[in-house]
Amino acid sequence: MLDRPITIEAAVSVVLCVILGARINAVPFAPVAGLVGIALLPALIPTIRRFRTIPTLLILLAVSLGAGVALTSFSSATHDTSMSLAISHSAMVVALIGGIAVLLFARAHIGTPWTAISYGAGMVGGIFLEPVSGSNAWRFTYSLPIAVLVLAILSMRPRLAPQLLALVGLGVIGLVNDSRSNSAMLFLAAAILLWQRFSRAVSKGRRRAGNIIGLILVAAGFFQLAQFSLLEGYFGEVSQDKTAAQIATSGSLLLGGRPEASASFAIIREYPLGLGSGTLPTGGDVTAAKTAMQQIGYDPNNGYVERFMFGSGIEVHSMLGDFWIWFGLAGLAACVVMVTTVVWGLEHRLRSAGLTALLAYLSVRFFWDLLFSPASSSMKFVTLTIALAAIAITETTPAGLRARDQLQQGADATVGVHSYPSMRR
């Protein structure tokens, strides 16, 4: 039985988060809930202003929309352009703005854990709205939504042991199903949680630079350990053979696994101010990208470059590269603010010993997607990651802690759960 009636705002928050997580689109790459967030934006301005980096980020994203159109117009002298492509890319940014606003609105009415759970439930529900991959269903369909929902549920009472068990268990399932990159992210998130516990036990002081340096060292050490384990065959012969082949191709596991990065560098070096959200590649652009990929030992003459990367626009398999090329320096600046938000949010949570498995995993995933995933597929995670990181920054200030405790008590009563002390760490 509920402690108090569910408010209209709470019900709307849950519904919008579920729709946003399910990626029910009005137009390609633009979830309905994100567009609703745009409509509600004027009323949400007082709420958004409380989150330190969010106003700057949303302004830069709005500027990016205009920059993308302006660059497309400028590039039309040397490139073909596509209005539909410009609309799709612009809709993605509009939905990102609205999606962040929706999640911050939801947090004000149902609290952070229930916002994340509703979003994760939407992601799992979205599985049934698209065809299930026949080749590797866990890797391409089930793994990411289930991971987000499980970790979101555990954030209700963020105890170390259950969170570590979930991260390691999901990572092992991923390895069995040839999902090396996502498994590595889950294991790294587990390592970060262990480091949080260790560093808190060793030093009771609040360290800013130490937390960031520690995270970098943990990530670097984990990468070396993971690469060694893969090459030694600890995770099976298939993973061993793929890893060895990627390193043999380019001398680096990252470049061998993501040769699109070299193509990104080539395009950005040629057009440092960007090309525009609706600009199509020329034959010279494709040749420059292929040449860069050949230089790291990758054979680009396999149809992938022409079909996926340059078939219907410019897609360099990197959110940072995509935003820079599509929206110019404004897009690059927006990415910098996103990075600042995630790093700052991580540091605040680590300093208060309140980092959850969900935020650790999403943060690791954010940096991977920033460098190595298409912007279109990254949006489902970026929206939630930025919102949770911004909340972390705000909640760990003294005023934010008091406001969070008051909010959580009200949110728990609204949805009919008890408030546990562990939720207020």
Side-chain angles (χ1 to χ4, degrees):
M1 182 176 294
L2 299 179
D3 296 274
R4 69 169 70 171
I6 296 178
T7 65
I8 293 177
E9 291 84 356
V12 169
S13 296
V14 171
V15 170
L16 288 177
C17 288
V18 169
I19 294 175
L20 189 63
R23 309 301 290 180
I24 299 174
N25 294 332
V27 296
F29 311 124
V32 172
L35 300 182
V36 171
I38 291 294
L40 296 174
L41 201 56
L44 297 179
I45 289 176
T47 299
I48 291 171
R49 289 178 62 185
R50 296 203 298 267
F51 298 91
R52 297 189 180 185
T53 60
I54 297 303
T56 301
L57 174 59
L58 298 190
I59 290 171
L60 284 172
L61 289 173
V63 172
S64 297
L65 294 172
V69 173
L71 286 168
T72 300
S73 177
F74 179 79
S75 299
S76 63
T78 56
H79 292 69
D80 291 334
T81 60
S82 166
M83 180 63 69
S84 62
L85 185 65
I87 291 173
S88 294
H89 291 161
S90 298
M92 184 190 309
V93 174
V94 169
L96 177 59
I97 295 171
I100 293 171
V102 163
L103 293 177
L104 297 181
F105 168 82
R107 179 259 181 187
H109 295 285
I110 59 176
T112 305
W114 281 105
T115 297
I117 290 170
S118 300
Y119 191 94
M123 290 184 68
V124 172
I127 291 173
F128 304 99
L129 301 178
E130 298 179 359
V132 175
S133 172
S135 59
N136 191 330
W138 176 262
R139 178 182 178 184
F140 296 112
T141 304
Y142 299 122
S143 60
L144 304 184
I146 289 175
V148 171
L149 180 58
V150 169
L151 298 179
I153 292 172
L154 291 176
S155 72
M156 290 288 295
R157 298 187 66 183
R159 295 176 178 176
L160 180 62
Q163 292 186 103
L164 287 178
L165 181 62
L167 289 168
V168 174
L170 290 166
V172 170
I173 294 172
L175 284 178
V176 172
N177 289 276
D178 194 31
S179 181
R180 291 177 301 158
S181 59
N182 191 57
S183 291
M185 294 176 211
L186 290 161
F187 292 146
L188 179 54
I192 292 172
L193 288 188
L194 287 172
W195 181 80
Q196 174 182 236
R197 175 62 64 88
F198 172 77
S199 63
R200 190 70 173 180
V202 171
S203 174
K204 300 295 183 182
R206 292 190 169 191
R207 305 168 301 164
R208 291 181 180 272
N211 284 330
I212 303 303
I213 294 172
L215 280 176
I216 294 172
L217 292 176
V218 167
F222 178 83
F223 175 77
Q224 294 299 325
L225 176 62
Q227 180 171 279
F228 172 80
S229 300
L230 287 165
L231 288 172
E232 290 298 313
Y234 295 147
F235 299 122
E237 291 185 4
V238 174
S239 295
Q240 181 184 30
D241 292 343
K242 285 187 176 181
T243 302
Q246 288 169 351
I247 294 175
T249 296
S250 63
S252 165
L253 179 59
L254 291 178
L255 280 179
R258 285 293 181 266
E260 300 94 342
S262 59
S264 300
F265 297 144
I267 298 297
I268 291 171
R269 185 170 57 246
E270 183 70 21
Y271 308 101
L273 298 181
L275 274 170
S277 53
T279 302
L280 298 172
T282 64
D285 296 334
V286 177
T287 299
K290 281 188 169 185
T291 300
M293 297 171 85
Q294 284 178 325
Q295 290 174 349
I296 64 167
Y298 176 82
D299 180 12
N301 298 309
N302 54 13
Y304 171 77
V305 176
E306 289 86 350
R307 287 196 305 270
F308 179 78
M309 296 182 64
F310 299 104
S312 58
I314 299 176
E315 172 52 72
V316 293
H317 218 282
S318 160
M319 188 178 79
L320 176 63
D322 286 342
F323 269 54
W324 193 341
I325 292 169
W326 298 344
F327 307 113
L329 298 182
L332 173 63
C335 288
V336 170
V337 176
M338 291 185 212
V339 170
T340 302
T341 302
V342 174
V343 171
W344 200 359
L346 277 174
E347 193 277 329
H348 274 254
R349 286 297 191 213
L350 285 170
R351 194 149 39 96
S352 63
L355 181 63
T356 64
L358 178 63
L359 183 55
Y361 167 67
L362 287 176
S363 298
V364 172
R365 171 134 224 125
F366 167 80
F367 288 108
W368 175 267
D369 289 343
L370 183 75
L371 298 175
F372 303 118
S373 295
S376 57
S377 63
S378 301
M379 289 299 104
K380 70 182 94 172
F381 300 103
V382 170
T383 307
L384 181 60
T385 307
I386 296 300
L388 293 182
I391 291 168
I393 297 169
T394 301
E395 284 187 347
T396 46
T397 62
L401 287 170
R402 291 192 297 270
R404 181 192 63 175
D405 289 343
Q406 294 172 358
L407 168 65
Q408 193 61 58
Q409 290 171 3
D412 289 343
T414 298
V415 296
V417 300
H418 296 288
S419 180
Y420 295 93
S422 60
M423 292 176 61
R424 293 198 274 276
R425 291 176 187 167

